[in-house]
Every structure is written in structure tokens, then in C-alpha cells.
Amino acid sequence: MNKFDIISDTVIGMLEESAFIFSDPVDEITVTKDMKSKMLGYCIKYTSPKSGTIAVFADKEVATMIAANMTGLEEDDPMAEEEAGNALQEFTNIIAGHIITELHGTELVFDLGIPEAITGGLPNDDNLIQIEIDVEDYKLILEFIEP
Amino acid sequence: MSYSIMVVDDSSIIRAAIKKTIDMTEIPVDRLVVAENGLDALEKLKETWVDIIFCDIHMPKMDGIELIETLRKTVEFKNIPFVVVSTVGSETQINELKEKGISGFIRKPFKPEDINAVMGEIFGEWEK
């Protein structure tokens, strides 16, 4: 499997395992930088022995679903919306750990940073991989760079 | 027997998720104590005995590694089972944690079966 497929499968698997959300990847990226700037976003960097950055952007509705499902709240509970950012931050942390393992195995030791808020998207780079996921009527985007 | 369980994580989401997952196991819980980091956990342990600690690694003020090192040097706390709950996937790191005296490891995201399995390993037969 190529890197794109590995990462895509990992994102979809982790949405299911961590937040009980079933989703589908899209074939072509439709989300623009402007649209991403309106989404919640977190990025996390890792180093040693390889370095890279993983960013997750999600419509607030998706982040709210993640918050609700991870904590057992109802989606329309105001607390779920309040925790949407925290939930997406934690999801970014979880997905990063799994992507690194899926790509590089379990023997190497990586130094994973703390997810930080981000807007607009990672810089354009020849190594940039973008994955767009449909979650009901909303979007989740994962961006990955490993030079 | 019912258990007094401590959950240590700086993420309110993960603390809630662990609580929810423990509820799904039907493990009889006498008390659930939460702490935001290692320092908070130590303060609460002075007031409340727990049967087991589920703890993240990366936390501000005092991380999980420093917490377990501190507990293992403290007479009254050194035998409390300590289970790391983390995104770490490296076998090397997990083995290093075992050398520091952890009782179990659960990788995020976690399921009720993971909690059941580790409770069973630590406390003997756990039927559910």
C-alpha cells in the first residue's frame, strides 16, 4: 500500500475506533484554504528518527461529534460543542501516533510534540499529502508532510 | 470487590473517555478519582487511597514517567498498579516503561476489552 492509502485507512479507522464515526474518503480534494480557515484545526510535529507534521482540520460539527462520542455526551449537549476543540486536539494526537506506527513500524522511537491550533493548512510542499473525508454532510481534512 | 480507580490525564476529553469506557466494562467502581497531571495525582493520593492508576505520559507539571518513578520510590504508593494509557506505539518505549515498573499499557483509543484485560491481568480472574 502506498503512503496515501495507509494514512487514509488510518484516519478512517481511528474515527471509527475512537469516536464511532463512519466516514468515506473523497477522490478529489474539494476543500479550499479559505474553507479550511473556517474549520477547527490542530497540527502536531514529530522528530527523530524522521521528522514530519500532521494536521487535522474539521468542521465544528465533526469535532462536536468526536467530543460527544468520545465522552458519552449527546451531540446536542452544549458541553459537546464546548469540548469540540479539545476533542479534535486529542484526536490529532491519537491519529498522529497511529499514522507514524503504520508508516514506520513499532521499533523506532519518535518524539511526538503537542498538538497546537492551526488555521488555513500546512504550507504547500511537494511532499504534502492531503486527505479529505466526508463525515455525513461535513468534512475532515488530514494533511501530512514528511520531507 | 469494588475498585477505587484514579485517572490521570491533562485532557478533559480523555478523562471523560476513560470514565465512559470503565462504565462500559461494568467493573464495580467504588470511587473514581481524576487528576490533571502527576503533581495533582500525588496531592490526591495523600487524601484518597486507590487500587489502580490509569495514567497518560505527556502531561504538564509532572508527566507520567516522573509520576511512576516517584510512586515507586514512595513506601505507601510503590505497589499501586500503574497502567499507562498513551498514544505511544513504539515497542522500545513500552519496554522502557515496563522497566520503570508499569503494570500494564493501553494504547489510545481504548476499548472496554482493553480495560477488562488489564484489570484481569493485575487483579486475577476478571470474568467480563
Side-chain angles (χ1 to χ4, degrees):
Chain A
M1 267 206 303
N2 62 39
K3 217 179 251 190
F4 181 93
D5 290 335
I6 290 171
I7 296 170
S8 179
D9 286 354
T10 305
V11 175
I12 288 170
M14 284 299 108
L15 273 171
E16 194 176 321
E17 278 191 49
S18 63
F20 313 106
I21 290 174
F22 296 93
S23 59
D24 298 291
V26 303
D27 292 328
E28 285 184 22
I29 301 293
T30 63
V31 173
T32 63
K33 190 161 183 163
D34 187 53
M35 290 161 75
K36 265 184 281 184
S37 68
K38 297 180 174 77
M39 298 167 115
L40 294 175
Y42 282 90
C43 83
I44 187 167
K45 298 185 182 192
Y46 60 94
T47 56
S48 180
K50 288 180 184 278
S51 300
T53 305
I54 293 166
V56 179
F57 302 89
D59 285 322
K60 186 152 194 187
E61 290 81 358
V62 177
T64 301
M65 277 185 229
I66 293 172
N69 292 352
M70 283 182 80
T71 60
L73 293 170
E74 295 296 325
E75 263 181 58
D76 58 359
D77 189 321
M79 280 291 295
E81 191 174 333
E82 274 182 41
E83 293 282 13
N86 288 337
L88 188 66
Q89 184 180 29
E90 188 58 42
F91 180 75
T92 303
N93 189 35
I94 291 171
I95 192 78
H98 282 268
I99 286 173
I100 290 168
T101 305
E102 289 299 315
L103 290 177
H104 300 301
T106 59
E107 286 191 23
L108 298 176
V109 178
F110 283 86
D111 189 6
L112 198 58
I114 293 170
E116 295 178 352
I118 183 176
T119 56
L122 294 181
N124 275 332
D125 184 291
D126 287 343
N127 296 297
L128 177 67
I129 291 175
Q130 290 181 288
I131 292 162
E132 182 174 320
I133 307 279
D134 278 338
V135 180
E136 296 180 8
D137 296 328
Y138 306 103
K139 296 286 185 183
L140 182 139
I141 310 291
L142 186 128
E143 294 185 345
F144 173 88
I145 294 178
E146 188 178 89
Chain B
M1 175 185 176
S2 60
Y3 298 91
S4 181
I5 298 175
M6 175 176 271
V7 174
V8 189
D9 200 301
D10 59 323
S11 164
S12 58
I13 291 290
I14 292 299
R15 292 196 302 267
I18 292 179
K19 180 183 182 308
K20 178 191 151 208
T21 307
I22 290 172
D23 287 345
M24 292 166 74
T25 65
E26 297 178 355
I27 291 170
V29 177
D30 176 49
R31 182 170 44 229
L32 188 72
V33 182
V34 296
E36 295 182 5
N37 54 62
L39 275 181
D40 190 24
L42 286 174
E43 283 302 310
K44 287 181 175 161
L45 282 170
K46 290 176 191 171
E47 308 290 329
T48 311
W49 175 258
V50 298
D51 296 302
I52 184 167
I53 299 171
F54 290 91
C55 184
D56 188 16
I57 295 178
H58 299 294
M59 297 178 290
K61 296 187 183 176
M62 180 188 278
D63 65 23
I65 292 175
E66 197 178 341
L67 176 59
I68 188 173
E69 287 174 340
T70 304
L71 291 175
R72 291 297 178 249
K73 289 181 202 164
T74 312
V75 169
E76 62 265 51
F77 302 137
K78 67 178 183 175
N79 293 317
I80 299 177
F82 190 100
V83 178
V84 167
V85 183
S86 174
T87 54
V88 162
S90 159
E91 291 292 336
T92 305
Q93 283 179 295
I94 294 168
N95 288 335
E96 286 172 359
L97 289 167
K98 287 178 181 172
E99 285 170 16
K100 293 194 184 293
I102 67 169
S103 315
F105 179 89
I106 295 176
R107 194 170 186 207
K108 297 175 185 175
F110 36 80
K111 302 182 282 295
E113 304 90 273
D114 300 327
I115 308 271
N116 276 331
V118 84
M119 291 288 285
E121 284 166 16
I122 292 169
F123 295 108
E125 293 231 341
W126 180 249
E127 293 180 350
K128 291 202 181 192

